[in-house]
Amino acid sequence: MSAKLLMLVGDFVEDYEAKVPYQALEMVGHEVHAACPEREAGDVVKTAIHDFRGDQTYLEERGHDLALDVALAEVDPAEYDGLVVPGGRAPEYLRTYEAVLDAVRHFFEADKPVATLCHGPQILAAAGVLDGREITSYPAVRAEVEAAGCSWVDEVTRDGNLVTAQAWPDHAEWLAEFLDVLGTRIEHEVSASAD
């Protein structure tokens, strides 16, 4: 069954955390709409690539452009089956938009699947939907999300319909969990060798 998914993005969203899930979810048959406040369908947001090279924090470099599918102002969250909230620097300012927070609240109130990672939980904290949850995030965001009432764990975590991860190196496990929450089934056909 195909799901229609909303992805909340903004300038300097983490490149791998937006583009890889977008493409992977579409690859298995889901429809993904990237949306950003104050931007229209067809506009782009700039991405940032966060790399981990043994420093105290990540290194940030300019990534690619990500085209938007819809204008957030035209989004009706009720028309979507799930939500994806990537990380990067975008969440720190996206959480200041009431339309973003209202959209997030809809998915939690309707108990729809939500996947977020890295700094994405900053938006969930601002929306007031983390109380009593068990999640993970980028470790530097831990104090902020714990202050929002959740317990923080050091691994990819599934709490009901909420799937969280720390950063893009967790993609395989994080996306597998989210696909399971969505009810996505991937079947492999094994063919006999011709020799």
Side-chain angles (χ1 to χ4, degrees), residues 82-97:
L83 175 67
V84 180
V85 185
R89 277 195 288 133
E92 74 184 43
Y93 68 86
L94 288 176
R95 63 186 168 172
T96 67
Y97 288 89

Side-chain angles (χ1 to χ4, degrees), residues 9 73 104 125 138:
V9 298
V104 168
Y138 188 66

Side-chain angles (χ1 to χ4, degrees), residues 25 30 83 113-116 136 155-165 170-186:
L25 292 164
H30 298 303
L83 175 67
V114 176
T116 186
T136 196
E155 60 189 357
V156 172
T157 303
R158 178 175 171 177
D159 182 338
N161 283 343
L162 174 61
V163 181
T164 57
D170 294 330
H171 273 337
E173 186 180 356
W174 177 68
L175 285 168
E177 282 292 327
F178 188 51
L179 290 174
D180 189 53
V181 170
L182 290 169
T184 306
R185 300 291 173 249
I186 301 171

